[in-house]
Amino acid sequence: MDRMLYISMSGAKEVMLAQANNANNLANATTDGFKQDFNEFRAQHMQGPGWHTRTYALDERPATDFTPGAVKVTGRELDVMVQPNGFLAIQTPEGDEAFTRTASMQLTADGDLVDVNGHPILNVGGAPINIPPSRNITIGDDGTISIVPEGSPSNQLVVLDQLRLVEPDIKQLQKGLDGFIRLPQGEAPPQQANVKVVSGALESSNVNTAEALVNMIELSRKYEMQVKMMSTAKTHAQKSDQLLSLR
């Protein structure tokens, strides 16, 4: 009965991993710019003498869904989103470059331009952007940052910098366990791309809440099935012990 028991235990463990992935998607249904992760099961055949009859379930996160989310109009100048296939570059806590489709940008006390989570926004050269004291900040549709310096007339716009906008191959993008979207290690950084920026709007999460809830119910039933199989294996073992004791 060990075959049945261990296969059921493996299935239950993998269903729990799938449930965790689905729960993460559902928890970020209202997180602007979040991209949901796909999830799938596959059969994992055991190799080696005496193991060919055993096939275990394996849960995988094969890719991330980069389908655009809904547009949420905010009217705030520092809320930006990049049109489909384009990405905005930010700096992670590790110091490397990551990509996002939207950012609710803020200014720190030192004038650094960061996203809502405090990650620096990068310019064309890949360096963090710093904004001097100003009366107004405007983001152009090409990512150009213009300001009205403090103490200057309201019609005196000065072009300060430009956002780093890229258009990498989506098939190459990977989402790490830290939630950042990057190119695989060793890949050359993408060049500045001619993509459009929409100011005063944010891209919502692309998680379908109803679908995620249905998946949660389906995975719960799969888990219950695996637990029942373990219980059945225990019952069979007890019956076998009873039969052996009669001899």
Side-chain angles (χ1 to χ4, degrees):
M1 297 305 166
D2 66 312
R3 299 181 182 182
M4 178 179 177
L5 178 61
Y6 281 103
I7 289 175
S8 299
M9 288 172 59
S10 170
K13 183 191 75 173
E14 297 301 320
V15 170
M16 288 178 64
L17 293 175
Q19 191 70 283
N21 179 68
N22 185 71
N24 182 63
N25 287 339
L26 189 58
N28 286 281
T30 59
T31 302
D32 294 326
F34 180 82
K35 301 301 177 188
Q36 67 177 346
D37 294 311
F38 290 119
N39 192 86
E40 69 177 12
F41 291 99
R42 70 178 177 89
Q44 178 64 46
H45 299 280
M46 297 295 293
Q47 303 295 325
W51 298 94
H52 65 280
T53 59
R54 303 193 186 190
T55 302
Y56 289 83
L58 181 64
D59 172 67
E60 291 183 321
R61 189 188 71 172
T64 300
D65 181 9
F66 288 103
T67 303
V71 177
K72 182 171 69 176
V73 178
T74 64
R76 182 174 174 270
E77 284 288 346
L78 292 182
D79 286 346
V80 297
M81 59 172 287
V82 185
Q83 291 187 348
N85 300 325
F87 288 85
L88 173 70
I90 62 174
Q91 188 178 74
T92 71
E94 288 73 29
D96 60 338
E97 184 178 74
F99 308 115
T100 182
R101 292 290 308 280
T102 189
S104 180
M105 298 186 292
Q106 320 284 330
L107 280 178
T108 67
D110 297 327
D112 295 326
L113 192 63
V114 299
D115 67 8
V116 70
N117 295 310
H119 304 125
I121 305 295
L122 301 181
N123 64 8
V124 179
I129 298 173
N130 185 269
I131 308 291
S134 55
R135 296 177 55 187
N136 186 40
I137 304 173
T138 304
I139 309 295
D141 60 2
D142 61 349
T144 300
I145 303 174
S146 302
I147 67 170
V148 176
E150 200 171 73
S152 300
S154 58
N155 61 350
Q156 187 177 335
L157 275 176
V158 176
V159 176
L160 178 68
D161 214 329
Q162 186 178 11
L163 300 174
R164 174 159 164 71
L165 304 171
V166 297
E167 194 174 1
D169 183 0
I170 290 180
K171 295 179 181 178
Q172 291 187 327
L173 293 178
Q174 299 175 348
K175 184 197 284 187
L177 296 178
D178 54 7
F180 289 107
I181 297 171
R182 304 178 177 91
L183 284 171
Q185 191 171 8
E187 288 289 330
Q191 299 295 320
Q192 181 78 3
N194 184 25
V195 296
K196 298 298 182 182
V197 173
V198 178
S199 179
L202 295 171
E203 183 180 309
S204 301
S205 169
N206 67 351
V207 176
N208 185 320
T209 306
E211 182 180 351
L213 289 172
V214 170
N215 287 340
M216 181 178 291
I217 296 172
E218 182 181 349
L219 290 170
S220 296
R221 289 175 177 171
K222 288 181 178 179
Y223 183 81
E224 290 174 0
M225 180 185 69
Q226 299 296 340
V227 172
K228 287 181 180 178
M229 291 296 291
M230 285 188 279
S231 177
T232 301
K234 179 181 178 181
T235 302
H236 286 181
Q238 291 174 341
K239 294 297 183 182
S240 298
D241 291 342
Q242 290 177 3
L243 290 174
L244 289 173
S245 65
L246 295 176
R247 294 184 178 183

mmCIF file of all heavy atoms in Angstrom, residues 35-53:
data_model
loop_
_atom_site.group_PDB
_atom_site.id
_atom_site.type_symbol
_atom_site.label_atom_id
_atom_site.label_comp_id
_atom_site.label_asym_id
_atom_site.label_seq_id
_atom_site.Cartn_x
_atom_site.Cartn_y
_atom_site.Cartn_z
ATOM 1 N N LYS A 35 0.777 41.050 -12.273
ATOM 2 C CA LYS A 35 0.545 40.078 -13.333
ATOM 3 C C LYS A 35 0.412 38.695 -12.714
ATOM 4 O O LYS A 35 1.317 38.233 -12.007
ATOM 5 C CB LYS A 35 1.697 40.089 -14.350
ATOM 6 C CG LYS A 35 1.906 41.442 -15.023
ATOM 7 C CD LYS A 35 0.659 41.900 -15.751
ATOM 8 C CE LYS A 35 0.822 43.282 -16.358
ATOM 9 N NZ LYS A 35 -0.436 43.808 -16.904
ATOM 10 N N GLN A 36 -0.715 38.045 -12.968
ATOM 11 C CA GLN A 36 -0.957 36.753 -12.342
ATOM 12 C C GLN A 36 -0.051 35.668 -12.924
ATOM 13 O O GLN A 36 0.390 35.741 -14.069
ATOM 14 C CB GLN A 36 -2.420 36.353 -12.503
ATOM 15 C CG GLN A 36 -2.854 36.055 -13.922
ATOM 16 C CD GLN A 36 -4.291 35.595 -13.999
ATOM 17 O OE1 GLN A 36 -4.911 35.241 -12.998
ATOM 18 N NE2 GLN A 36 -4.851 35.593 -15.203
ATOM 19 N N ASP A 37 0.218 34.659 -12.100
ATOM 20 C CA ASP A 37 1.045 33.531 -12.510
ATOM 21 C C ASP A 37 0.158 32.382 -12.965
ATOM 22 O O ASP A 37 -0.859 32.081 -12.345
ATOM 23 C CB ASP A 37 1.921 33.066 -11.348
ATOM 24 C CG ASP A 37 2.943 34.120 -10.944
ATOM 25 O OD1 ASP A 37 3.626 34.633 -11.835
ATOM 26 O OD2 ASP A 37 3.032 34.437 -9.742
ATOM 27 N N PHE A 38 0.581 31.730 -14.048
ATOM 28 C CA PHE A 38 -0.099 30.514 -14.484
ATOM 29 C C PHE A 38 0.290 29.377 -13.553
ATOM 30 O O PHE A 38 1.301 29.432 -12.853
ATOM 31 C CB PHE A 38 0.296 30.158 -15.921
ATOM 32 C CG PHE A 38 -0.252 31.103 -16.953
ATOM 33 C CD1 PHE A 38 0.605 31.838 -17.763
ATOM 34 C CD2 PHE A 38 -1.613 31.260 -17.124
ATOM 35 C CE1 PHE A 38 0.115 32.701 -18.721
ATOM 36 C CE2 PHE A 38 -2.124 32.126 -18.076
ATOM 37 C CZ PHE A 38 -1.256 32.850 -18.876
ATOM 38 N N ASN A 39 -0.506 28.327 -13.575
ATOM 39 C CA ASN A 39 -0.225 27.161 -12.753
ATOM 40 C C ASN A 39 -0.727 25.925 -13.483
ATOM 41 O O ASN A 39 -1.798 25.946 -14.089
ATOM 42 C CB ASN A 39 -0.930 27.284 -11.393
ATOM 43 C CG ASN A 39 -0.441 26.263 -10.396
ATOM 44 O OD1 ASN A 39 0.546 26.477 -9.719
ATOM 45 N ND2 ASN A 39 -1.097 25.114 -10.324
ATOM 46 N N GLU A 40 0.064 24.846 -13.441
ATOM 47 C CA GLU A 40 -0.363 23.616 -14.101
ATOM 48 C C GLU A 40 0.235 22.406 -13.396
ATOM 49 O O GLU A 40 1.266 22.502 -12.733
ATOM 50 C CB GLU A 40 0.034 23.613 -15.580
ATOM 51 C CG GLU A 40 1.525 23.500 -15.835
ATOM 52 C CD GLU A 40 1.863 23.422 -17.307
ATOM 53 O OE1 GLU A 40 0.971 23.689 -18.136
ATOM 54 O OE2 GLU A 40 3.022 23.093 -17.628
ATOM 55 N N PHE A 41 -0.445 21.278 -13.562
ATOM 56 C CA PHE A 41 0.047 20.001 -13.046
ATOM 57 C C PHE A 41 0.534 19.153 -14.218
ATOM 58 O O PHE A 41 0.019 19.238 -15.321
ATOM 59 C CB PHE A 41 -1.078 19.239 -12.327
ATOM 60 C CG PHE A 41 -1.517 19.862 -11.036
ATOM 61 C CD1 PHE A 41 -2.655 20.652 -10.980
ATOM 62 C CD2 PHE A 41 -0.804 19.652 -9.865
ATOM 63 C CE1 PHE A 41 -3.071 21.231 -9.796
ATOM 64 C CE2 PHE A 41 -1.206 20.225 -8.676
ATOM 65 C CZ PHE A 41 -2.344 21.008 -8.636
ATOM 66 N N ARG A 42 1.545 18.339 -13.940
ATOM 67 C CA ARG A 42 1.998 17.382 -14.942
ATOM 68 C C ARG A 42 2.425 16.099 -14.249
ATOM 69 O O ARG A 42 2.703 16.091 -13.043
ATOM 70 C CB ARG A 42 3.141 17.943 -15.777
ATOM 71 C CG ARG A 42 4.470 18.121 -15.076
ATOM 72 C CD ARG A 42 5.522 18.627 -16.043
ATOM 73 N NE ARG A 42 6.798 18.887 -15.412
ATOM 74 C CZ ARG A 42 7.759 17.975 -15.273
ATOM 75 N NH1 ARG A 42 7.562 16.745 -15.720
ATOM 76 N NH2 ARG A 42 8.905 18.291 -14.696
ATOM 77 N N ALA A 43 2.452 15.029 -15.017
ATOM 78 C CA ALA A 43 2.849 13.736 -14.468
ATOM 79 C C ALA A 43 4.368 13.629 -14.441
ATOM 80 O O ALA A 43 5.041 13.986 -15.406
ATOM 81 C CB ALA A 43 2.253 12.615 -15.313
ATOM 82 N N GLN A 44 4.902 13.165 -13.328
ATOM 83 C CA GLN A 44 6.341 12.958 -13.177
ATOM 84 C C GLN A 44 6.596 11.465 -12.981
ATOM 85 O O GLN A 44 6.326 10.900 -11.929
ATOM 86 C CB GLN A 44 6.870 13.753 -11.973
ATOM 87 C CG GLN A 44 8.348 13.561 -11.708
ATOM 88 C CD GLN A 44 9.207 14.085 -12.832
ATOM 89 O OE1 GLN A 44 8.987 15.184 -13.334
ATOM 90 N NE2 GLN A 44 10.195 13.302 -13.242
ATOM 91 N N HIS A 45 7.095 10.811 -14.028
ATOM 92 C CA HIS A 45 7.357 9.371 -13.959
ATOM 93 C C HIS A 45 8.664 9.102 -13.213
ATOM 94 O O HIS A 45 9.668 9.782 -13.434
ATOM 95 C CB HIS A 45 7.429 8.777 -15.365
ATOM 96 C CG HIS A 45 6.167 8.935 -16.145
ATOM 97 N ND1 HIS A 45 5.079 8.120 -15.969
ATOM 98 C CD2 HIS A 45 5.814 9.842 -17.094
ATOM 99 C CE1 HIS A 45 4.105 8.501 -16.779
ATOM 100 N NE2 HIS A 45 4.526 9.552 -17.469
ATOM 101 N N MET A 46 8.650 8.115 -12.358
ATOM 102 C CA MET A 46 9.838 7.741 -11.607
ATOM 103 C C MET A 46 10.744 6.876 -12.478
ATOM 104 O O MET A 46 10.268 6.054 -13.261
ATOM 105 C CB MET A 46 9.456 6.976 -10.342
ATOM 106 C CG MET A 46 8.625 7.788 -9.364
ATOM 107 S SD MET A 46 9.549 9.195 -8.697
ATOM 108 C CE MET A 46 10.791 8.344 -7.725
ATOM 109 N N GLN A 47 12.050 7.072 -12.335
ATOM 110 C CA GLN A 47 13.030 6.322 -13.099
ATOM 111 C C GLN A 47 13.749 5.317 -12.195
ATOM 112 O O GLN A 47 13.928 5.543 -11.009
ATOM 113 C CB GLN A 47 14.054 7.282 -13.727
ATOM 114 C CG GLN A 47 13.457 8.345 -14.621
ATOM 115 C CD GLN A 47 12.812 7.779 -15.853
ATOM 116 O OE1 GLN A 47 13.293 6.784 -16.408
ATOM 117 N NE2 GLN A 47 11.726 8.400 -16.304
ATOM 118 N N GLY A 48 14.159 4.213 -12.796
ATOM 119 C CA GLY A 48 14.940 3.241 -12.056
ATOM 120 C C GLY A 48 14.226 1.908 -11.898
ATOM 121 O O GLY A 48 12.996 1.818 -12.051
ATOM 122 N N PRO A 49 14.971 0.846 -11.593
ATOM 123 C CA PRO A 49 14.391 -0.494 -11.434
ATOM 124 C C PRO A 49 13.334 -0.526 -10.340
ATOM 125 O O PRO A 49 13.566 -0.039 -9.232
ATOM 126 C CB PRO A 49 15.610 -1.357 -11.059
ATOM 127 C CG PRO A 49 16.796 -0.576 -11.533
ATOM 128 C CD PRO A 49 16.428 0.858 -11.387
ATOM 129 N N GLY A 50 12.179 -1.070 -10.667
ATOM 130 C CA GLY A 50 11.114 -1.202 -9.680
ATOM 131 C C GLY A 50 10.268 0.028 -9.476
ATOM 132 O O GLY A 50 9.304 0.002 -8.704
ATOM 133 N N TRP A 51 10.632 1.139 -10.163
ATOM 134 C CA TRP A 51 9.906 2.391 -9.957
ATOM 135 C C TRP A 51 9.033 2.764 -11.160
ATOM 136 O O TRP A 51 8.338 3.778 -11.112
ATOM 137 C CB TRP A 51 10.883 3.534 -9.692
ATOM 138 C CG TRP A 51 11.704 3.364 -8.454
ATOM 139 C CD1 TRP A 51 12.943 2.832 -8.365
ATOM 140 C CD2 TRP A 51 11.328 3.708 -7.118
ATOM 141 N NE1 TRP A 51 13.392 2.818 -7.074
ATOM 142 C CE2 TRP A 51 12.412 3.365 -6.276
ATOM 143 C CE3 TRP A 51 10.189 4.278 -6.551
ATOM 144 C CZ2 TRP A 51 12.390 3.555 -4.904
ATOM 145 C CZ3 TRP A 51 10.173 4.487 -5.183
ATOM 146 C CH2 TRP A 51 11.254 4.118 -4.377
ATOM 147 N N HIS A 52 9.099 1.985 -12.231
ATOM 148 C CA HIS A 52 8.428 2.374 -13.470
ATOM 149 C C HIS A 52 6.908 2.417 -13.344
ATOM 150 O O HIS A 52 6.234 3.014 -14.163
ATOM 151 C CB HIS A 52 8.826 1.426 -14.605
ATOM 152 C CG HIS A 52 8.358 0.010 -14.387
ATOM 153 N ND1 HIS A 52 9.035 -0.862 -13.554
ATOM 154 C CD2 HIS A 52 7.285 -0.661 -14.871
ATOM 155 C CE1 HIS A 52 8.387 -2.031 -13.544
ATOM 156 N NE2 HIS A 52 7.337 -1.940 -14.331
ATOM 157 N N THR A 53 6.361 1.794 -12.309
ATOM 158 C CA THR A 53 4.907 1.792 -12.145
ATOM 159 C C THR A 53 4.397 3.017 -11.397
ATOM 160 O O THR A 53 3.197 3.202 -11.261
ATOM 161 C CB THR A 53 4.462 0.538 -11.379
ATOM 162 O OG1 THR A 53 5.101 0.527 -10.096
ATOM 163 C CG2 THR A 53 4.827 -0.716 -12.151
#
